[in-house]
Amino acid sequence: LFYNLGLEDGQGIKELGYLKNLRGKIVIRKLEFVSSKEEAEFADLFGKILVYELGYHWSDNRNGIGNDRIVLEGLQPHPELKSLTIRNYMGYELPWWVVNMQVKRSFQLDNLMELRLINCKRLEALPMLGQMPFLQYLELSGLANVTRIGQSFYGANYLALLNRRNGIPQTTITVFPALKRLKLDCMPNLIQWMEAQVRPPIEVFPCLEKLTIQYCPRLSTMPSHFPAVKELK
């Protein structure tokens, strides 16, 4: 289902709230027509547990930031979601449910298998994604404001700290345990992609088979160990 928002009657985000039995894939376009977090929450995407794939799209070539962040806050999906795409988002940071999708114990996207952040041009930092147990495909494209992929991206230090606090013995920490495909595309200001560093020992990208890096002209530092990669572009 592709749902295009507008100003005419019947084209609002609230209309989705009345469709209780939606299932499958939903792509919501022209999200700049949503005026508030409360209006976005009325769509009740958190309650639509039969929807397995969601796309949140704003229009291209918009001026200004708008209210993208508070609108995306109100579009929190349910925890069983399999695939999520966020396109043309103009906020400098992502809302809490994306940033903390693997941190807050009250809400996790543990079942997410695919994640795409596309043309989020003002976004300054990436969410912590390395501890998502089923994430198999990750695309980061058009993130023009990101200059560094650092330790927070992996989430390994957070997990090690959490284990120490809970008295869990030190064991090997696995980062991106299920990821098979990773794509970095059109990130013109990305300079540094750091190695994951943590104590105790760490295993990184154990299942990554395809790595694509294109149109990242300033990238000068990146990890050196990809044990399972079969295809490098």
Side-chain angles (χ1 to χ4, degrees), residues 11-187:
Q11 294 183 338
I13 190 75
K14 288 185 176 182
E15 309 303 320
L16 290 176
Y18 300 113
L19 304 176
K20 302 297 184 183
N21 297 314
L22 284 177
R23 62 183 64 214
K25 176 181 178 179
I26 300 177
V27 177
I28 307 173
R29 295 168 171 165
K30 300 185 178 181
L31 278 165
E32 63 270 16
F33 286 107
V34 182
S35 62
S36 67
K37 176 181 176 181
E38 291 73 24
E39 187 178 352
E41 287 176 337
F42 198 89
D44 189 28
L45 291 166
F46 189 82
K48 292 178 171 51
I49 61 174
L50 298 178
V51 173
Y52 63 83
E53 183 173 348
L54 272 173
Y56 295 143
H57 295 190
W58 284 261
S59 297
D60 293 323
N61 302 319
R62 291 180 298 131
N63 294 321
I65 301 173
N67 59 354
D68 292 15
R69 188 178 187 277
I70 62 171
V71 168
L72 194 56
E73 280 186 10
L75 294 174
Q76 177 184 336
H78 62 84
E80 300 300 317
L81 193 69
K82 304 295 184 185
S83 177
L84 174 65
T85 298
I86 301 174
R87 185 186 295 269
N88 299 327
Y89 173 79
M90 295 292 279
Y92 289 105
E93 57 185 18
L94 292 163
W96 68 269
W97 65 260
V98 181
V99 175
N100 296 334
M101 58 173 60
Q102 182 57 28
V103 179
K104 289 178 72 69
R105 310 315 298 175
S106 59
F107 170 74
Q108 301 178 76
L109 286 178
D110 264 356
N111 294 291
L112 201 67
M113 300 176 67
E114 298 180 351
L115 176 63
R116 297 170 178 85
L117 300 178
I118 301 175
N119 292 336
C120 303
K121 296 178 181 179
R122 287 190 170 93
L123 192 65
E124 295 179 336
L126 299 174
M128 189 183 78
L129 301 172
Q131 300 304 309
M132 300 190 69
F134 301 118
L135 188 65
Q136 296 183 19
Y137 177 77
L138 176 60
E139 178 179 350
L140 305 173
S141 178
L143 308 185
N145 222 15
V146 173
T147 61
R148 182 171 177 263
I149 300 176
Q151 296 301 317
S152 61
F153 177 64
Y154 301 104
N157 288 311
Y158 168 81
L159 184 60
L161 177 61
L162 192 65
N163 287 345
R164 286 197 297 270
R165 287 179 176 175
N166 293 332
I168 299 175
Q170 289 190 356
T171 58
T172 299
I173 290 178
T174 304
V175 175
F176 289 104
L179 194 68
K180 294 182 178 181
R181 293 184 294 156
L182 173 59
K183 181 178 181 179
L184 305 180
D185 185 17
C186 292
M187 298 177 68

